[in-house]
Amino acid sequence: MENDISLKFRQQLFLISENLVSEDVAALKFLCTDLLNLSKLEGVKSAVDIFKLLMAQEYLNAEDTFLLAELLYRIKCHCLLEKLGYTKEKVQERLSEKGRISPYRQMLYELSENITSEMLKKIIFLLQNHLPKRWTILSALDLLTSLEKKGLLTKDNVKILEDVCMTVSPDLLETIDCYKKGKDNKTANFTQCFSELNLELRGEFSNVENESKTMKSYKMDGPRRGFCLIINNVNFKSSQRKGSYKDAEQLERVFKWLGLEVRTYTDLTSGEMINLMETWQHVQDHQDRNCFICCILSHGKSGAIYGTDNRLVSIRVLTSHFTAKQCPQLAAKPKLFFIQACQGDKVQSPVYVDTDGPTPDLSSGQERVSLYASIPEEADFLLGMATVDGYVSFRHIEEGTWYIQALCSKLQLLVPRGEDILSILTQVNEDVARRDSPSGTKKQMPQPAYTLRRKFIFPIPMAPPPSEQHQCF
């Protein structure tokens, strides 16, 4: 029995680690600085390494997972809390009683989250004489760690931070002032104070959603609209996604019509998909574009996509390459991801209808990943999924997938009417929901997740839609 509990617990930790990107691991390391041996922390390469250290120090076990819940809460990975049986609200309720991350460590981390790459360059210039020579600082957390190691920054002395923040961005002082005011109080006081200074993205959008009539729109009138990547995985080791070329061709025609520069990639392995995201993350030309769009057509599983090597890649790993920190050229610009892939294996394909599920057999009790866990917890992202979590999506072997064909059809119909993307995706939902498999017993429902702050409206193209152009021939 104990072995079963231990295995299940370690499986939970593994699934959590699979949804944490390198930026998250760095944040966890920093937040654990006061709890774990520094020399051991320096050797950490993954989230699993941190979990091992926490278990060795008896901070984490199957009976008590609150510290990990607190860490996930601090780095704003709220959707992963459900794997530990927590919600954001439950963690907040228990922080004053069980919280272990000091207000000082919280303050430094929150400060690092608000330091942009441009601010960091200025701060490094100001502190040049205090930093190691010939050492490249990669992030704000690296900078803060270096200052701590030199003894220039402690829980009782944050003057060096106040001085540089006053010069570079006085707004950053609010976080430091909040810490100083509540320094002698309980941990929860800093958390409460900070939340008053910064609106949660989910709540911020939900308030705006009720005022959609007066909501501003993203700037989309630049000379260049943006890039659109299409990843079309067709040929797997033991299967072929017939009909997918139809989807890729249709997406290419529609997004070119909408003014985007389309790049199509076929049959990528899991590693090649990650490398492609890393390459586009560093493209400087994003600076002069209005938006970024990525369409992925493949087999899938809950919260993940299969490469043609039958290896999974977390959707969050792919999307996180385009956060404001990782890709500053796209900061405050809309980033749209459309994923055509199964998110489970509950429905089997009838005759002439394929499912975009994985070729390997899956356990019926597979773990599910919340859709919001697949996008970074910051503004300006949209993730359009072909189906809800746990279910298959359907693909006709000649006509393409229900979702992509509906998406292309509704974009051509509704963009000329000035509709925003969320209204268009609602129409896509209705279209797909009305469809039946040949047997008449199988249905599908797409699902979007988003942290958009404004309406996303494509400018109306001068040319007629591709479907009308095609009819002319």
Side-chain angles (χ1 to χ4, degrees), residues 202-215:
R202 303 279 185 267
E204 182 181 351
F205 189 84
S206 64
N207 290 336
V208 176
E209 201 169 22
N210 294 327
E211 303 166 8
S212 59
K213 292 182 180 179
T214 59
M215 190 193 301

Side-chain angles (χ1 to χ4, degrees), residues 170-422:
D171 290 345
L172 295 174
L173 288 172
E174 291 184 52
T175 304
I176 301 173
D177 291 341
C178 182
Y179 161 69
K180 290 175 70 176
K181 289 175 184 176
K183 189 169 65 171
D184 298 323
N185 296 333
K186 294 182 179 180
T187 304
N189 289 345
F190 176 77
T191 304
Q192 182 180 358
C193 175
F194 188 80
S195 65
E196 290 171 358
L197 296 175
N198 298 275
L199 290 173
E200 292 274 348
L201 292 174
R202 303 279 185 267
E204 182 181 351
F205 189 84
S206 64
N207 290 336
V208 176
E209 201 169 22
N210 294 327
E211 303 166 8
S212 59
K213 292 182 180 179
T214 59
M215 190 193 301
K216 294 181 179 178
S217 299
Y218 285 104
K219 176 182 170 63
M220 291 291 288
D221 57 357
R224 297 186 175 182
R225 195 80 64 241
F227 294 104
C228 172
L229 310 186
I230 300 173
I231 299 174
N232 184 25
N233 287 343
V234 179
N235 299 296
F236 289 75
K237 290 182 178 179
S238 57
S239 71
Q240 188 179 55
R241 296 183 59 254
K242 295 179 180 178
S244 191
Y245 282 116
K246 179 84 170 180
D247 284 344
E249 291 170 1
Q250 187 79 328
L251 286 169
E252 186 172 341
R253 284 197 294 266
V254 169
F255 282 115
K256 279 185 176 179
W257 170 66
L258 292 172
L260 285 103
E261 300 160 69
V262 179
R263 305 286 188 274
T264 301
Y265 303 87
T266 305
D267 292 343
L268 300 188
T269 64
S270 55
E272 287 170 341
M273 285 195 288
I274 293 173
N275 291 339
L276 183 67
M277 295 299 105
E278 289 176 352
T279 298
W280 280 94
Q281 165 190 340
H282 298 293
V283 169
Q284 292 300 313
D285 288 346
H286 290 310
Q287 187 78 39
D288 303 320
R289 270 70 176 178
N290 298 140
C291 67
F292 174 76
I293 296 175
C294 180
C295 306
I296 303 177
L297 317 173
S298 189
H299 287 315
K301 184 181 177 181
S302 184
I305 301 296
Y306 276 99
T308 53
D309 55 353
N310 285 345
R311 292 181 179 273
L312 283 168
V313 180
S314 165
I315 295 172
R316 187 164 187 267
V317 168
L318 298 176
T319 58
S320 292
H321 286 286
F322 300 96
T323 62
K325 275 195 172 184
Q326 296 293 331
C327 185
Q329 298 86 355
L330 285 172
K333 298 177 182 180
K335 293 155 285 270
L336 281 58
F337 290 80
F338 296 103
I339 310 293
Q340 169 53 50
C342 283
Q343 289 297 284
D345 63 341
K346 287 189 173 180
V347 179
Q348 298 300 316
S349 58
V351 179
Y352 297 119
V353 175
D354 241 346
T355 63
D356 271 332
T359 301
D361 290 335
L362 294 176
S363 167
S364 59
Q366 69 180 34
E367 285 280 342
R368 292 190 184 180
V369 176
S370 168
L371 190 56
Y372 274 102
S374 295
I375 55 175
E377 295 218 2
E378 65 167 60
D380 310 311
F381 277 85
L382 179 142
L383 176 63
M385 298 294 296
T387 185
V388 295
D389 187 57
Y391 289 84
V392 298
S393 59
F394 292 103
R395 170 172 37 85
H396 193 284
I397 62 176
E398 293 179 353
E399 297 175 5
T401 60
W402 294 0
Y403 177 64
I404 295 300
Q405 293 304 311
L407 174 64
C408 292
S409 173
K410 294 304 179 184
L411 284 170
Q412 293 177 84
L413 176 66
L414 300 176
V415 165
R417 299 180 186 177
E419 296 280 1
D420 69 284
I421 192 64
L422 295 181

